[in-house]
Amino acid sequence: MVRRIVFWGGSSQALVLSEALDCTEFVLCLVVDREQIASPITGIPIVQGRDGLERWLEKNKPTDLHFSIAIGGTLGKDRIEIADYLISRRLMERSIIHRTAYIAKTARVGAGAQILANSTVCAGVTLGRQVIVNTAASIDHESIIGDGAHISAGARLAGRVRVDKFAFVGVGAIVLPDLVIGEGAVIGAGAVVTRSVAPGKVMVGNPARELPSGQAGA
């Protein structure tokens, strides 16, 4: 059975998700972006923001319409808010799992999660809602990933790690066992985390150290 799906977000994340739809029952029918941009995917229409989507829904009157949030980076809270809005418009929140990803039978995957190419979700792992496990990332046994968190490409989380909601683990970062990454914390690319990280902190380097607040946007 073919099901139609909408992507919210016209960035490169939409390209990644579009490829991940191969060999699934979902067919992309629309992209929504807050900016007025060209569609990132040839042949797929794009509309601007909520107003554009509302007009499209009124014109097409679709049924059985699904969605995925094609927004990566540190915008986990935005992903949740957009998902709530789309659910209010009677679209259905769907996870996208790439055909090459490995997910253990005992893992639990929350609504709207994205588990992308060559990534690994091991035994007893719990993924919250709107979590991104990006290309070739690995989450080891019994780890818990909170709502809206993003585990970037090539990141490695050891066993029993807890990543709280909206946190971001950068490309190629390593988190050692039994640590906690607090809500909204950011782990920089390539960082090696050897101790738990408080909420909202930005950590960089090997071993990871806190980046002073004045440098966080540098």
Side-chain angles (χ1 to χ4, degrees), residues 185-207:
V186 174
I187 309 303
V192 178
V193 181
T194 60
R195 56 188 175 86
S196 292
V197 177
K201 299 298 184 182
V202 179
M203 306 292 288
V204 298
N206 179 11

Side-chain angles (χ1 to χ4, degrees), residues 153-171:
R156 296 288 185 268
L157 275 57
R160 298 179 301 275
V161 167
R162 193 183 86 209
V163 178
D164 288 340
K165 63 182 181 179
F166 312 138
F168 175 84
V169 179
V171 173

